[in-house]
Every structure is written in structure tokens, then in C-alpha cells.
């Protein structure tokens, strides 16, 4: 990887940097994320309806109020690393920066979590999980988050690492997959 690109990869996670870095297998996702997509409302899953019940954007098949809603609201803790991953995806979809910050490890959490750009999240695909269960202290989740930006579809493929802080699952960092 060119030094300049390597620097860019570790500095910010803007859509532009993400676009350049995500093709570099093994590129680290920086903990110090500065910019995040702003217009994340309207993910495909969010639009999905089951009668009058709004399906959760993470597409577990339950309603938002039974799935990620209570976790984002702080009423319920994510029982597994995968569920925390799902809830964070949902937070991107609905633009809940407060929850994104709260569910991020204090050591890697960005100081400023501003949302930007017209990135529109479409759906989440969980590829694999390792540990991260109710009796684990660490876990990884490999996922592909599909989105649309400037009229073009794209996807972010990442292996995320999770751990617990005071018993609650938090996101630590991740590695991009080509
Ligand atoms: Zn959900």
C-alpha cells in the first residue's frame, strides 16, 4: 500500500477514504473515525413493512420495536456481539450517533461522530460470527453492509472486533476485506 494511502486509511473513515481503502485487503479500520455518512435514513429494510409493523433495518425479521429499537434506546443490552453489530448498523440507518458513540469502545471511539454525505444504507449481510456469545468476552463479526451513493450501489465488507466493557458488548475496531 502506498504510504499516503496507508496514512489516509488510518486517519479517517470518510466515504472517500473508505472507497479507496476497502479494496486493500487487511487495511485496518481506524478507531479514530471522524466522519460518518449523514443521510442514512431510508434503508431498504426500514421501508419494509409487515402490515402496520415496521421491520427492523437489520433484517432479522422482527419489528424495530422488538429488535434493535430497545437496544438503541438503552432499554435492553445486546446479548451477543452479532446483535450489537446489527444494532449499530440500524443506528447508521436511522442516524443515531449517540448510540454509535455509546456502543463504541472508549479507547477507539471517535471524538467527533459527525454524519455526512448522501450514503443510503440498503441492507446488512452477516457473513460469519466467531464467539461473541452470552458467555464470551470477545467476538468477531464479518459482515457486508450494502449501500447506495451518488446513484451507484456499493458495499462495505468488514470483520469487526467486539469486547465487553462493564458487561456490555462494545465495538472495538475492524479490518476491511477485499
Ligand atoms: Zn434489528
Amino acid at each position: 500500500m502506498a504510504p499516503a494511502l496507508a496514512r489516509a486509511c488510518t486517519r479517517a473513515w470518510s466515504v472517500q477514504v473508505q472507497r479507496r481503502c476497502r479494496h486493500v485487503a487487511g487495511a485496518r479500520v481506524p478507531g479514530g473515525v471522524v466522519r460518518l455518512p449523514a443521510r442514512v435514513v431510508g434503508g431498504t429494510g426500514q421501508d419494509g413493512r409487515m402490515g402496520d409493523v415496521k421491520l427492523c433495518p437489520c433484517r432479522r425479521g422482527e419489528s424495530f420495536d422488538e429488535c434493535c429499537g430497545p437496544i438503541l434506546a438503552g432499554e435492553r443490552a445486546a446479548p451477543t456481539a452479532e446483535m450489537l453489530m446489527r444494532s449499530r448498523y440500524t443506528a447508521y440507518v436511522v442516524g443515531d450517533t449517540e448510540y454509535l458513540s455509546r456502543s463504541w469502545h472508549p479507547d477507539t471511539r471517535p471524538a467527533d461522530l459527525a454524519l455526512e454525505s448522501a450514503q443510503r444504507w440498503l441492507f446488512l449481510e452477516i457473513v460469519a460470527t466467531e464467539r461473541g456469545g452470552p458467555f464470551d468476552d470477545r467476538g468477531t463479526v464479518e459482515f457486508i453492509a450494502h449501500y447506495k451513493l451518488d446513484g451507484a450501489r456499493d458495499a462495505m465488507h468488514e470483520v469487526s472486533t467486539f469486547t465487553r466493557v462493564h458487561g456490555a458488548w462494545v465495538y472495538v475496531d475492524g479490518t476491511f476485506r477485499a
Side-chain angles (χ1 to χ4, degrees):
M1 193 175 3
L5 179 57
R7 270 201 306 279
C9 285
T10 53
R11 196 164 35 202
W13 196 55
S14 70
V15 172
Q16 289 73 23
V17 170
Q18 178 187 316
R19 274 176 161 176
R20 281 190 292 165
C21 297
R22 68 182 193 80
H23 297 296
V24 182
R28 297 291 291 174
V29 182
V33 169
V34 178
R35 291 172 180 281
L36 293 168
R39 266 199 67 238
V40 285
V41 291
T44 301
Q46 193 186 24
D47 296 332
R49 283 180 170 273
M50 195 169 58
D52 279 343
V53 180
K54 195 183 255 186
L55 288 175
C56 188
C58 85
R59 285 197 170 180
R60 253 179 86 236
E62 294 179 22
S63 72
F64 178 75
D65 291 341
E66 290 171 337
C67 190
C68 294
I71 298 175
L72 266 57
E75 295 164 4
R76 193 192 300 162
T80 62
E82 179 187 329
M83 201 54 228
L84 189 87
M85 165 66 228
R86 287 179 175 279
S87 67
R88 284 176 54 83
Y89 171 82
T90 298
Y92 277 102
V93 174
V94 301
D96 190 341
T97 51
E98 193 277 323
Y99 177 75
L100 286 169
S101 184
R102 183 155 41 92
S103 60
W104 213 307
H105 194 288
D107 292 348
T108 54
R109 180 191 300 157
D112 179 20
L113 208 61
L115 303 184
E116 67 154 11
S117 96
Q119 192 168 19
R120 183 168 181 250
W121 296 97
L122 300 173
F123 64 95
L124 174 70
E125 222 181 303
I126 301 290
V127 178
T129 60
E130 197 180 311
R131 294 183 290 161
F135 303 107
D136 294 316
D137 284 329
R138 287 188 76 81
T140 59
V141 179
E142 180 179 355
F143 68 91
I144 304 173
H146 298 261
Y147 63 88
K148 205 169 185 179
L149 184 65
D150 300 331
R153 278 189 64 158
D154 211 332
M156 184 179 71
H157 189 174
E158 183 186 316
V159 179
S160 294
T161 304
F162 299 87
T163 189
R164 289 183 191 266
V165 172
H166 305 305
W169 284 108
V170 290
Y171 171 71
V172 181
D173 58 13
T175 307
F176 288 122
R177 281 283 165 88

